[in-house]
Amino acid sequence: MAKGPRIVVLTGSGVSAESGLSTFRDKDGIWAKYDYRQVATPEGFAADPALVHDFYNQRRRLLKGIAPNAAHVALAELEAGLSAAGGALLVVTQNVDNLHEKAGSANVLHMHGELAKARCGLCEEAGEWPGDLSIDIECPFCGVKGAMRPDVVWFGETPKYLDEIAGALARADQFVSIGTSGAVYPAAGFVRDARALCIPCTELNLEPSDNAGAFTERRYGKASEIVPQWAREFLAE
C-alpha cells in the first residue's frame, strides 16, 4: 500500500485570533501593550519575576475559557483523514496555547513552549501547570523555592524541537504556513528550507506575510474560513 501524503503545518497567533487570543505584532497586539523586554526575556524575569509571573498568570487564566475555532478543528480532521490514508500531518506551532490539542490534534510540536506547563530554572524539569506561578512556589522536582518559571521560550532563548522539525520537513510532501507574520526566525525560514527541498509551500493568512513571496500558493482571508476550505480540498484530492 502506497503511503499517503505527509504535511508539515506551521501555525502562528493568527490561527488562534478568532478564538479570542491576542496576536503579538499587530498594532493592537500584545507587544503594543507590554514591553517584551520586561515580560518575555530571561533578563526581565531576573529583574522582576513577580511582574513576569503576573503577565503569564493572566494569560493562563484566560486560556481556560477559550475554545478552538474552525481552523483548529479542520487541522485535527485533516490529521485524522491523512492518518487513515497512510499519511501524516505534523503541526509545528509558535503558539503557547493548547487549542490545537483541544480541537483533537495529536501530533503537535510547540516550538515556543506551552503556557500550561512550568519549568524549574535550576533542575530544568518541566510538567503540567494549570494554576498560577509565583516566586514563593517550590519546585515539585527538586524542592527549591523561587526557581519556577513558565515553560515558554523567551526572546534570546533557543526554540524547542528544531532537529525534529528539520527531520519532518526533509520527509514532507508539502509545507503550509497558517496565521504567521513571517518575521520571527527560525520559523520564518522554514519555507526557504522547504523550497530548497522542492516541496510545495502554501500560505494561508489574513494578509500577506513578510515572506509571502517565498510560497508557491497563497490564500488570504479569515483562518476559520480558508483553512477548512483548503483542508477539504486537500482531502478530496
Side-chain angles (χ1 to χ4, degrees), residues 129-206:
W129 200 279
D132 286 357
L133 282 168
S134 76
I135 57 176
D136 297 320
I137 289 176
E138 292 184 359
C139 171
F141 305 103
C142 69
V144 175
K145 181 187 289 188
M148 295 300 291
R149 54 163 285 181
D151 190 22
V152 299
V153 176
W154 287 329
F155 288 88
E157 296 181 329
T158 303
K160 300 171 180 281
Y161 309 115
L162 294 180
D163 289 342
E164 290 90 335
I165 295 167
L169 281 173
R171 297 186 297 272
D173 300 299
Q174 184 162 355
F175 172 72
V176 184
S177 177
I178 303 173
T180 72
S181 66
V184 180
Y185 286 83
F190 293 164
V191 62
R192 299 289 183 184
D193 296 338
R195 289 296 301 274
L197 294 165
C198 299
I199 299 169
C201 299
T202 300
E203 172 167 89
L204 305 176
N205 217 349
L206 186 61

Side-chain angles (χ1 to χ4, degrees), residues 32-71:
K33 302 171 184 176
Y34 294 90
D35 185 339
Y36 76 89
R37 292 166 294 189
Q38 294 181 334
V39 298
T41 64
E43 295 79 10
F45 186 63
D48 194 343
L51 175 66
V52 176
H53 280 314
D54 181 64
F55 173 76
Y56 286 99
N57 287 342
Q58 291 182 47
R59 298 188 66 203
R60 198 178 298 109
R61 293 178 206 137
L62 175 65
L63 183 59
K64 292 179 180 179
I66 298 293
N69 61 56

